[in-house]
Amino acid sequence: MLALADDGLIAAQRLAEWTSRAPELEEDVALANIALDTLGQARLLLSYAGELEGAGRDEDDLAYLRDEQDFRNCQLVELDNGDFAVTIVKLLCFATYQHELYSALRRSTDERLAAIAAKAVTETEYHVDHARLWTLRLGDGTPEAHQRMTAALGRIWPYTHELFETGWIEPELLAEGVAVDPATLREPWLSTVDKVLVEATLAVPDDDWAPTGGRHGVHTEVMGYLLAEMQYLHRAHPGATW
Amino acid sequence: MAAAHRVAAIAVSGSPGRRDVLQNLAAVTGCCNTGGMERQEVPGASGLLSEVAAAEAELRAAADRDRGGDGAGVAAGDELAAYFDEVVGADQKIEPRDWMPEAYRKGLVRQIAQHAHSEIIGMQPEGNWLSRAPSLARKAILLAKVQDEAGHGLYLYAAAETLGVSRAELFDKLLSGRQKYSSIFNYPTLTWADVGAIGWLVDGAAIVNQVPLCRCSYGPYARAMIRICKEESFHQRQGFDLLYTLARGTDEQRAMAQDAVDRWWYPSLAMFGPPDAESTHSTQSMAWKIKRFSNDELRQKFVDMTAQQAEVLGLNLPDEALGYDQPSGHWRYTQPDFGELMRVISGDGPCNRQRIEHRRRAHDDGAWVRDSAAAYAAKQRTRKAAA
Amino acid sequence: MTVENGQSTVDSQDWPLWEVFVRPRRGLAHSHVGSLHASDAELAVRNARDLYTRRQEGVSIWVVPAAAITASSPDEKDAFFEPAGDKVYRHPTFYPVPEGVEHL
């Protein structure tokens, strides 16, 4: 639960960095929409995670007062935005993963999680489609954009393997049908991503390097800076209400 | 996609006094869905939003009304100006293909472009705090607000484009300094409370300025403004709510809120422009019903509205002379430093260079993306033609 | 668009203008709400959805290239309009905008 929430929270934090910087005003509005959806999903999940924990922590306690090692997001979402090509490749890979995951979680035996997933599915479907539209226009547009997309794929692809790791989920949650085994999502994920890349005349990168650790609290060096920025004000005023 | 979660509920709770102020700030009368925020009816006819609704109703009524004059059959050149005057005189709207005096068109393009640029440049000072918003609810609200500003800029560029200019030309004029944006955005946002001060004071001043524009004689501009004013109802409210929370928080939070109000008050007053005696564009704009009230009238209206709200907030407006004048029913106040306004407009504000540089970088960095999308569209057309 | 030595040139790559029509509710006709720029129709629909229905104002969207619209006079009775040019949003005349110092 915390892993899903953190994925959304950190992805939204990165997407919101595009605000007032997008390639066209229309895209500024679109990226903000996606960030708002993703942040909204994260908030629902964080609140629920806090309730399940039963220690009285709310969404803000979890977002602002945990240290880096306690964040369970995949490393993919914390990576720098890079240029628009990197952002679109990240979005394609991440939103497709989220879409597969939430589609499966609609059938979770945990009713509240299933309800959150049902709402998120329609949102992520739109995110995937947005990433697809842009992947086509950048992959099959100018040579410069094609080259940038190829470089972005090379940079992002290694971090997609972590999305489908299984070991970190408690076996009983899988057995009870609460959680979904991420490994089962890799095939439908690859089929979607592969189709988009082929249509965009882009090559699917080789699977070699597969960095990992996010689900266990091991992050990349940029994560500390992201959290420092996100959390500093909240932490500078302990106990304050905003 | 559900918008409901976008703007997380701003709880309208607390003292009755505060509730009244919030209602006056922005009662939602239109069809816009501002998420979890309560919809409230306007108490009395004084609410600004009811003026927006009235402007919309007037626009419809004017469209139905017979002007009484004989509009039929006369198309000679000399008659065009008389016809234009008749339409404006009857409070009907001029539309894109109507004949209009060149100065009217020029003045409108300048004003709408400046307004559009202000929305786009205005994303920066608040966007500056998006990554650091101190709660997730505030982060979502601020993101939705800054996104609205991009949307409003787009509505306004669209209105300007009906006058025969392209958005690319307008961008060019913004980046080269030939068109201006509101000088208020050349001030920096130094603390989180500045986000609240911008919402309450800057958006408050903007709304006072904008509501009369809903009655502007140019149809596309009037319609854009009606849409914008309805959507902005939540902007000022969120700023007020943010400051209200800080003012009732820790000593540090309260000090932060007061400091922000101290810094933003006079620049907000300056947003209404130079005093009437020195305003260059006013007279003709009034006659053409582009502008409906003078700078000083609008400034007074803003002070009257804001002084009472400051009392509810429990924050001081930094003006020793501020006081209610019973006979006139208005608040006395100290004028802003118009010399400073002129210096900031002419490029000498704290952030002029950064704001334009930021915009230019976004535009330049996006060039390869726009080019590639255009190239893709051209390829698709060729493929379709060949198929 | 590029700016060189203070001289501006408008690239041919600038995205075209699209007019947006939204059906607010079932049972009502699509009505014009504004315009936007997009490189192609698919992106135009996408952008229109993000821009003009952020607050759930519509159930259906049409986008039309502005250049494809042919207009009559605005009002049959009012025979006053620019005789030249029959594209709504592409007036042939461009009026340079003077330097102006104005409040918002």
Side-chain angles (χ1 to χ4, degrees), chain B residues 179-210:
Chain B
Q179 282 175 350
K180 305 290 183 188
Y181 53 89
S182 179
S183 67
I184 192 82
F185 300 121
N186 289 318
Y187 291 90
T189 47
L190 302 177
T191 72
W192 168 250
D194 289 26
V195 172
I198 288 182
W200 179 45
L201 296 174
V202 176
D203 291 337
I207 290 169
V208 169
N209 256 330
Q210 288 170 3

PDB file of all heavy atoms in Angstrom, chain B residues 179-210:
ATOM      1  N   GLN B 179       5.329  43.978 -25.404  1.00  0.00           N
ATOM      2  CA  GLN B 179       4.054  43.955 -24.680  1.00  0.00           C
ATOM      3  C   GLN B 179       4.354  43.644 -23.224  1.00  0.00           C
ATOM      4  O   GLN B 179       5.285  42.906 -22.923  1.00  0.00           O
ATOM      5  CB  GLN B 179       3.097  42.908 -25.266  1.00  0.00           C
ATOM      6  CG  GLN B 179       2.432  43.376 -26.548  1.00  0.00           C
ATOM      7  CD  GLN B 179       1.572  42.294 -27.187  1.00  0.00           C
ATOM      8  OE1 GLN B 179       1.603  41.138 -26.775  1.00  0.00           O
ATOM      9  NE2 GLN B 179       0.823  42.683 -28.196  1.00  0.00           N
ATOM     10  N   LYS B 180       3.533  44.180 -22.348  1.00  0.00           N
ATOM     11  CA  LYS B 180       3.776  44.053 -20.916  1.00  0.00           C
ATOM     12  C   LYS B 180       2.877  42.995 -20.297  1.00  0.00           C
ATOM     13  O   LYS B 180       1.929  42.513 -20.916  1.00  0.00           O
ATOM     14  CB  LYS B 180       3.504  45.394 -20.228  1.00  0.00           C
ATOM     15  CG  LYS B 180       4.284  46.564 -20.795  1.00  0.00           C
ATOM     16  CD  LYS B 180       5.758  46.463 -20.473  1.00  0.00           C
ATOM     17  CE  LYS B 180       6.495  47.686 -21.003  1.00  0.00           C
ATOM     18  NZ  LYS B 180       7.946  47.553 -20.876  1.00  0.00           N
ATOM     19  N   TYR B 181       3.176  42.691 -19.060  1.00  0.00           N
ATOM     20  CA  TYR B 181       2.276  41.886 -18.225  1.00  0.00           C
ATOM     21  C   TYR B 181       2.163  42.648 -16.917  1.00  0.00           C
ATOM     22  O   TYR B 181       2.915  43.599 -16.678  1.00  0.00           O
ATOM     23  CB  TYR B 181       2.838  40.481 -18.018  1.00  0.00           C
ATOM     24  CG  TYR B 181       4.255  40.456 -17.506  1.00  0.00           C
ATOM     25  CD1 TYR B 181       4.528  40.460 -16.144  1.00  0.00           C
ATOM     26  CD2 TYR B 181       5.331  40.465 -18.389  1.00  0.00           C
ATOM     27  CE1 TYR B 181       5.830  40.464 -15.674  1.00  0.00           C
ATOM     28  CE2 TYR B 181       6.633  40.466 -17.930  1.00  0.00           C
ATOM     29  CZ  TYR B 181       6.879  40.471 -16.572  1.00  0.00           C
ATOM     30  OH  TYR B 181       8.171  40.484 -16.113  1.00  0.00           O
ATOM     31  N   SER B 182       1.241  42.217 -16.064  1.00  0.00           N
ATOM     32  CA  SER B 182       1.017  42.949 -14.819  1.00  0.00           C
ATOM     33  C   SER B 182       2.304  43.021 -14.008  1.00  0.00           C
ATOM     34  O   SER B 182       2.959  42.006 -13.765  1.00  0.00           O
ATOM     35  CB  SER B 182      -0.073  42.259 -14.001  1.00  0.00           C
ATOM     36  OG  SER B 182      -0.262  42.955 -12.800  1.00  0.00           O
ATOM     37  N   SER B 183       2.658  44.225 -13.576  1.00  0.00           N
ATOM     38  CA  SER B 183       3.945  44.416 -12.907  1.00  0.00           C
ATOM     39  C   SER B 183       4.005  43.710 -11.559  1.00  0.00           C
ATOM     40  O   SER B 183       5.071  43.484 -11.014  1.00  0.00           O
ATOM     41  CB  SER B 183       4.219  45.904 -12.729  1.00  0.00           C
ATOM     42  OG  SER B 183       3.284  46.441 -11.822  1.00  0.00           O
ATOM     43  N   ILE B 184       2.851  43.309 -11.035  1.00  0.00           N
ATOM     44  CA  ILE B 184       2.825  42.653  -9.727  1.00  0.00           C
ATOM     45  C   ILE B 184       3.675  41.384  -9.731  1.00  0.00           C
ATOM     46  O   ILE B 184       4.235  40.987  -8.721  1.00  0.00           O
ATOM     47  CB  ILE B 184       1.361  42.325  -9.316  1.00  0.00           C
ATOM     48  CG1 ILE B 184       1.256  41.916  -7.845  1.00  0.00           C
ATOM     49  CG2 ILE B 184       0.773  41.208 -10.166  1.00  0.00           C
ATOM     50  CD1 ILE B 184       1.210  43.059  -6.907  1.00  0.00           C
ATOM     51  N   PHE B 185       3.763  40.726 -10.886  1.00  0.00           N
ATOM     52  CA  PHE B 185       4.471  39.442 -10.925  1.00  0.00           C
ATOM     53  C   PHE B 185       5.986  39.610 -11.000  1.00  0.00           C
ATOM     54  O   PHE B 185       6.715  38.631 -11.084  1.00  0.00           O
ATOM     55  CB  PHE B 185       3.929  38.583 -12.064  1.00  0.00           C
ATOM     56  CG  PHE B 185       2.469  38.301 -11.902  1.00  0.00           C
ATOM     57  CD1 PHE B 185       1.550  38.683 -12.853  1.00  0.00           C
ATOM     58  CD2 PHE B 185       2.006  37.676 -10.755  1.00  0.00           C
ATOM     59  CE1 PHE B 185       0.188  38.450 -12.681  1.00  0.00           C
ATOM     60  CE2 PHE B 185       0.650  37.441 -10.561  1.00  0.00           C
ATOM     61  CZ  PHE B 185      -0.263  37.830 -11.533  1.00  0.00           C
ATOM     62  N   ASN B 186       6.433  40.860 -10.942  1.00  0.00           N
ATOM     63  CA  ASN B 186       7.870  41.102 -10.869  1.00  0.00           C
ATOM     64  C   ASN B 186       8.370  41.166  -9.432  1.00  0.00           C
ATOM     65  O   ASN B 186       9.521  41.496  -9.187  1.00  0.00           O
ATOM     66  CB  ASN B 186       8.223  42.390 -11.614  1.00  0.00           C
ATOM     67  CG  ASN B 186       8.065  42.197 -13.105  1.00  0.00           C
ATOM     68  OD1 ASN B 186       8.454  41.162 -13.643  1.00  0.00           O
ATOM     69  ND2 ASN B 186       7.465  43.169 -13.779  1.00  0.00           N
ATOM     70  N   TYR B 187       7.469  40.845  -8.493  1.00  0.00           N
ATOM     71  CA  TYR B 187       7.896  40.741  -7.099  1.00  0.00           C
ATOM     72  C   TYR B 187       8.086  39.270  -6.762  1.00  0.00           C
ATOM     73  O   TYR B 187       7.373  38.405  -7.275  1.00  0.00           O
ATOM     74  CB  TYR B 187       6.847  41.363  -6.165  1.00  0.00           C
ATOM     75  CG  TYR B 187       6.759  42.868  -6.310  1.00  0.00           C
ATOM     76  CD1 TYR B 187       5.890  43.453  -7.231  1.00  0.00           C
ATOM     77  CD2 TYR B 187       7.576  43.699  -5.549  1.00  0.00           C
ATOM     78  CE1 TYR B 187       5.827  44.826  -7.384  1.00  0.00           C
ATOM     79  CE2 TYR B 187       7.514  45.079  -5.690  1.00  0.00           C
ATOM     80  CZ  TYR B 187       6.641  45.639  -6.609  1.00  0.00           C
ATOM     81  OH  TYR B 187       6.594  46.997  -6.754  1.00  0.00           O
ATOM     82  N   PRO B 188       9.053  38.971  -5.877  1.00  0.00           N
ATOM     83  CA  PRO B 188       9.339  37.561  -5.560  1.00  0.00           C
ATOM     84  C   PRO B 188       8.403  36.979  -4.494  1.00  0.00           C
ATOM     85  O   PRO B 188       7.859  37.720  -3.673  1.00  0.00           O
ATOM     86  CB  PRO B 188      10.773  37.637  -5.007  1.00  0.00           C
ATOM     87  CG  PRO B 188      10.867  38.996  -4.385  1.00  0.00           C
ATOM     88  CD  PRO B 188       9.971  39.911  -5.205  1.00  0.00           C
ATOM     89  N   THR B 189       8.214  35.665  -4.531  1.00  0.00           N
ATOM     90  CA  THR B 189       7.492  34.977  -3.452  1.00  0.00           C
ATOM     91  C   THR B 189       8.538  34.410  -2.495  1.00  0.00           C
ATOM     92  O   THR B 189       9.185  33.420  -2.800  1.00  0.00           O
ATOM     93  CB  THR B 189       6.613  33.828  -3.983  1.00  0.00           C
ATOM     94  OG1 THR B 189       7.381  33.034  -4.898  1.00  0.00           O
ATOM     95  CG2 THR B 189       5.392  34.362  -4.693  1.00  0.00           C
ATOM     96  N   LEU B 190       8.683  35.050  -1.344  1.00  0.00           N
ATOM     97  CA  LEU B 190       9.783  34.714  -0.438  1.00  0.00           C
ATOM     98  C   LEU B 190       9.422  33.660   0.599  1.00  0.00           C
ATOM     99  O   LEU B 190      10.284  32.947   1.081  1.00  0.00           O
ATOM    100  CB  LEU B 190      10.261  35.990   0.270  1.00  0.00           C
ATOM    101  CG  LEU B 190      10.717  37.110  -0.678  1.00  0.00           C
ATOM    102  CD1 LEU B 190      11.108  38.352   0.108  1.00  0.00           C
ATOM    103  CD2 LEU B 190      11.870  36.645  -1.546  1.00  0.00           C
ATOM    104  N   THR B 191       8.148  33.608   0.977  1.00  0.00           N
ATOM    105  CA  THR B 191       7.738  32.585   1.950  1.00  0.00           C
ATOM    106  C   THR B 191       6.437  31.939   1.463  1.00  0.00           C
ATOM    107  O   THR B 191       5.793  32.437   0.528  1.00  0.00           O
ATOM    108  CB  THR B 191       7.462  33.173   3.351  1.00  0.00           C
ATOM    109  OG1 THR B 191       6.233  33.923   3.312  1.00  0.00           O
ATOM    110  CG2 THR B 191       8.599  34.068   3.811  1.00  0.00           C
ATOM    111  N   TRP B 192       6.044  30.879   2.140  1.00  0.00           N
ATOM    112  CA  TRP B 192       4.805  30.190   1.808  1.00  0.00           C
ATOM    113  C   TRP B 192       3.606  31.136   1.933  1.00  0.00           C
ATOM    114  O   TRP B 192       2.648  31.064   1.163  1.00  0.00           O
ATOM    115  CB  TRP B 192       4.627  28.971   2.713  1.00  0.00           C
ATOM    116  CG  TRP B 192       3.258  28.359   2.635  1.00  0.00           C
ATOM    117  CD1 TRP B 192       2.301  28.380   3.591  1.00  0.00           C
ATOM    118  CD2 TRP B 192       2.710  27.665   1.509  1.00  0.00           C
ATOM    119  NE1 TRP B 192       1.172  27.736   3.136  1.00  0.00           N
ATOM    120  CE2 TRP B 192       1.392  27.283   1.868  1.00  0.00           C
ATOM    121  CE3 TRP B 192       3.185  27.325   0.237  1.00  0.00           C
ATOM    122  CZ2 TRP B 192       0.552  26.577   0.995  1.00  0.00           C
ATOM    123  CZ3 TRP B 192       2.350  26.624  -0.632  1.00  0.00           C
ATOM    124  CH2 TRP B 192       1.049  26.261  -0.244  1.00  0.00           C
ATOM    125  N   ALA B 193       3.673  32.053   2.895  1.00  0.00           N
ATOM    126  CA  ALA B 193       2.544  32.961   3.097  1.00  0.00           C
ATOM    127  C   ALA B 193       2.318  33.855   1.879  1.00  0.00           C
ATOM    128  O   ALA B 193       1.202  34.350   1.674  1.00  0.00           O
ATOM    129  CB  ALA B 193       2.776  33.823   4.345  1.00  0.00           C
ATOM    130  N   ASP B 194       3.346  34.039   1.075  1.00  0.00           N
ATOM    131  CA  ASP B 194       3.179  34.852  -0.136  1.00  0.00           C
ATOM    132  C   ASP B 194       2.151  34.225  -1.077  1.00  0.00           C
ATOM    133  O   ASP B 194       1.467  34.939  -1.824  1.00  0.00           O
ATOM    134  CB  ASP B 194       4.515  35.014  -0.877  1.00  0.00           C
ATOM    135  CG  ASP B 194       5.472  35.937  -0.118  1.00  0.00           C
ATOM    136  OD1 ASP B 194       5.340  36.034   1.110  1.00  0.00           O
ATOM    137  OD2 ASP B 194       6.342  36.551  -0.765  1.00  0.00           O
ATOM    138  N   VAL B 195       2.052  32.900  -1.047  1.00  0.00           N
ATOM    139  CA  VAL B 195       1.046  32.232  -1.870  1.00  0.00           C
ATOM    140  C   VAL B 195      -0.348  32.663  -1.423  1.00  0.00           C
ATOM    141  O   VAL B 195      -1.236  32.929  -2.244  1.00  0.00           O
ATOM    142  CB  VAL B 195       1.205  30.693  -1.779  1.00  0.00           C
ATOM    143  CG1 VAL B 195       0.052  29.975  -2.465  1.00  0.00           C
ATOM    144  CG2 VAL B 195       2.541  30.261  -2.389  1.00  0.00           C
ATOM    145  N   GLY B 196      -0.518  32.765  -0.111  1.00  0.00           N
ATOM    146  CA  GLY B 196      -1.802  33.229   0.415  1.00  0.00           C
ATOM    147  C   GLY B 196      -2.059  34.687   0.089  1.00  0.00           C
ATOM    148  O   GLY B 196      -3.164  35.086  -0.287  1.00  0.00           O
ATOM    149  N   ALA B 197      -1.007  35.511   0.226  1.00  0.00           N
ATOM    150  CA  ALA B 197      -1.161  36.950  -0.040  1.00  0.00           C
ATOM    151  C   ALA B 197      -1.485  37.184  -1.516  1.00  0.00           C
ATOM    152  O   ALA B 197      -2.284  38.070  -1.855  1.00  0.00           O
ATOM    153  CB  ALA B 197       0.111  37.690   0.365  1.00  0.00           C
ATOM    154  N   ILE B 198      -0.895  36.400  -2.392  1.00  0.00           N
ATOM    155  CA  ILE B 198      -1.207  36.547  -3.816  1.00  0.00           C
ATOM    156  C   ILE B 198      -2.670  36.175  -4.055  1.00  0.00           C
ATOM    157  O   ILE B 198      -3.396  36.871  -4.764  1.00  0.00           O
ATOM    158  CB  ILE B 198      -0.259  35.684  -4.678  1.00  0.00           C
ATOM    159  CG1 ILE B 198       1.135  36.309  -4.691  1.00  0.00           C
ATOM    160  CG2 ILE B 198      -0.792  35.558  -6.108  1.00  0.00           C
ATOM    161  CD1 ILE B 198       2.138  35.573  -5.551  1.00  0.00           C
ATOM    162  N   GLY B 199      -3.097  35.082  -3.442  1.00  0.00           N
ATOM    163  CA  GLY B 199      -4.485  34.663  -3.635  1.00  0.00           C
ATOM    164  C   GLY B 199      -5.461  35.717  -3.123  1.00  0.00           C
ATOM    165  O   GLY B 199      -6.411  36.099  -3.806  1.00  0.00           O
ATOM    166  N   TRP B 200      -5.208  36.180  -1.936  1.00  0.00           N
ATOM    167  CA  TRP B 200      -6.148  37.116  -1.311  1.00  0.00           C
ATOM    168  C   TRP B 200      -6.064  38.508  -1.942  1.00  0.00           C
ATOM    169  O   TRP B 200      -7.084  39.062  -2.379  1.00  0.00           O
ATOM    170  CB  TRP B 200      -5.869  37.193   0.198  1.00  0.00           C
ATOM    171  CG  TRP B 200      -6.757  38.153   0.927  1.00  0.00           C
ATOM    172  CD1 TRP B 200      -8.117  38.272   0.778  1.00  0.00           C
ATOM    173  CD2 TRP B 200      -6.364  39.123   1.897  1.00  0.00           C
ATOM    174  NE1 TRP B 200      -8.582  39.263   1.605  1.00  0.00           N
ATOM    175  CE2 TRP B 200      -7.536  39.806   2.306  1.00  0.00           C
ATOM    176  CE3 TRP B 200      -5.141  39.471   2.472  1.00  0.00           C
ATOM    177  CZ2 TRP B 200      -7.505  40.823   3.255  1.00  0.00           C
ATOM    178  CZ3 TRP B 200      -5.112  40.473   3.430  1.00  0.00           C
ATOM    179  CH2 TRP B 200      -6.292  41.151   3.818  1.00  0.00           C
ATOM    180  N   LEU B 201      -4.867  39.083  -1.985  1.00  0.00           N
ATOM    181  CA  LEU B 201      -4.732  40.475  -2.437  1.00  0.00           C
ATOM    182  C   LEU B 201      -4.608  40.600  -3.961  1.00  0.00           C
ATOM    183  O   LEU B 201      -5.339  41.373  -4.583  1.00  0.00           O
ATOM    184  CB  LEU B 201      -3.524  41.127  -1.761  1.00  0.00           C
ATOM    185  CG  LEU B 201      -3.619  41.270  -0.236  1.00  0.00           C
ATOM    186  CD1 LEU B 201      -2.319  41.796   0.330  1.00  0.00           C
ATOM    187  CD2 LEU B 201      -4.794  42.182   0.140  1.00  0.00           C
ATOM    188  N   VAL B 202      -3.697  39.862  -4.543  1.00  0.00           N
ATOM    189  CA  VAL B 202      -3.466  40.010  -5.986  1.00  0.00           C
ATOM    190  C   VAL B 202      -4.661  39.490  -6.781  1.00  0.00           C
ATOM    191  O   VAL B 202      -5.159  40.150  -7.699  1.00  0.00           O
ATOM    192  CB  VAL B 202      -2.159  39.305  -6.408  1.00  0.00           C
ATOM    193  CG1 VAL B 202      -1.966  39.381  -7.908  1.00  0.00           C
ATOM    194  CG2 VAL B 202      -0.974  39.927  -5.676  1.00  0.00           C
ATOM    195  N   ASP B 203      -5.134  38.300  -6.432  1.00  0.00           N
ATOM    196  CA  ASP B 203      -6.312  37.793  -7.132  1.00  0.00           C
ATOM    197  C   ASP B 203      -7.540  38.616  -6.797  1.00  0.00           C
ATOM    198  O   ASP B 203      -8.423  38.808  -7.622  1.00  0.00           O
ATOM    199  CB  ASP B 203      -6.558  36.317  -6.790  1.00  0.00           C
ATOM    200  CG  ASP B 203      -5.480  35.415  -7.381  1.00  0.00           C
ATOM    201  OD1 ASP B 203      -4.844  35.832  -8.364  1.00  0.00           O
ATOM    202  OD2 ASP B 203      -5.268  34.319  -6.853  1.00  0.00           O
ATOM    203  N   GLY B 204      -7.592  39.109  -5.567  1.00  0.00           N
ATOM    204  CA  GLY B 204      -8.701  39.978  -5.180  1.00  0.00           C
ATOM    205  C   GLY B 204      -8.732  41.231  -6.043  1.00  0.00           C
ATOM    206  O   GLY B 204      -9.782  41.626  -6.568  1.00  0.00           O
ATOM    207  N   ALA B 205      -7.571  41.848  -6.201  1.00  0.00           N
ATOM    208  CA  ALA B 205      -7.488  43.047  -7.040  1.00  0.00           C
ATOM    209  C   ALA B 205      -7.808  42.696  -8.491  1.00  0.00           C
ATOM    210  O   ALA B 205      -8.521  43.434  -9.190  1.00  0.00           O
ATOM    211  CB  ALA B 205      -6.095  43.661  -6.932  1.00  0.00           C
ATOM    212  N   ALA B 206      -7.308  41.559  -8.927  1.00  0.00           N
ATOM    213  CA  ALA B 206      -7.553  41.144 -10.314  1.00  0.00           C
ATOM    214  C   ALA B 206      -9.041  40.949 -10.553  1.00  0.00           C
ATOM    215  O   ALA B 206      -9.576  41.347 -11.595  1.00  0.00           O
ATOM    216  CB  ALA B 206      -6.785  39.863 -10.620  1.00  0.00           C
ATOM    217  N   ILE B 207      -9.733  40.367  -9.583  1.00  0.00           N
ATOM    218  CA  ILE B 207     -11.165  40.114  -9.758  1.00  0.00           C
ATOM    219  C   ILE B 207     -11.940  41.432  -9.826  1.00  0.00           C
ATOM    220  O   ILE B 207     -12.825  41.607 -10.661  1.00  0.00           O
ATOM    221  CB  ILE B 207     -11.699  39.190  -8.627  1.00  0.00           C
ATOM    222  CG1 ILE B 207     -11.148  37.777  -8.820  1.00  0.00           C
ATOM    223  CG2 ILE B 207     -13.217  39.156  -8.621  1.00  0.00           C
ATOM    224  CD1 ILE B 207     -11.382  36.849  -7.644  1.00  0.00           C
ATOM    225  N   VAL B 208     -11.556  42.380  -8.959  1.00  0.00           N
ATOM    226  CA  VAL B 208     -12.218  43.693  -9.003  1.00  0.00           C
ATOM    227  C   VAL B 208     -12.020  44.332 -10.379  1.00  0.00           C
ATOM    228  O   VAL B 208     -12.917  44.935 -10.956  1.00  0.00           O
ATOM    229  CB  VAL B 208     -11.681  44.610  -7.883  1.00  0.00           C
ATOM    230  CG1 VAL B 208     -12.154  46.042  -8.068  1.00  0.00           C
ATOM    231  CG2 VAL B 208     -12.123  44.081  -6.521  1.00  0.00           C
ATOM    232  N   ASN B 209     -10.818  44.171 -10.909  1.00  0.00           N
ATOM    233  CA  ASN B 209     -10.532  44.679 -12.253  1.00  0.00           C
ATOM    234  C   ASN B 209     -11.309  43.932 -13.332  1.00  0.00           C
ATOM    235  O   ASN B 209     -11.749  44.507 -14.326  1.00  0.00           O
ATOM    236  CB  ASN B 209      -9.038  44.490 -12.570  1.00  0.00           C
ATOM    237  CG  ASN B 209      -8.273  45.785 -12.458  1.00  0.00           C
ATOM    238  OD1 ASN B 209      -8.819  46.864 -12.695  1.00  0.00           O
ATOM    239  ND2 ASN B 209      -6.999  45.681 -12.106  1.00  0.00           N
ATOM    240  N   GLN B 210     -11.440  42.634 -13.144  1.00  0.00           N
ATOM    241  CA  GLN B 210     -11.937  41.782 -14.219  1.00  0.00           C
ATOM    242  C   GLN B 210     -13.454  41.705 -14.298  1.00  0.00           C
ATOM    243  O   GLN B 210     -14.002  41.525 -15.380  1.00  0.00           O
ATOM    244  CB  GLN B 210     -11.380  40.362 -14.057  1.00  0.00           C
ATOM    245  CG  GLN B 210      -9.908  40.276 -14.387  1.00  0.00           C
ATOM    246  CD  GLN B 210      -9.304  38.943 -13.989  1.00  0.00           C
ATOM    247  OE1 GLN B 210      -9.999  38.053 -13.517  1.00  0.00           O
ATOM    248  NE2 GLN B 210      -8.011  38.809 -14.174  1.00  0.00           N
TER     249      GLN B 210
END
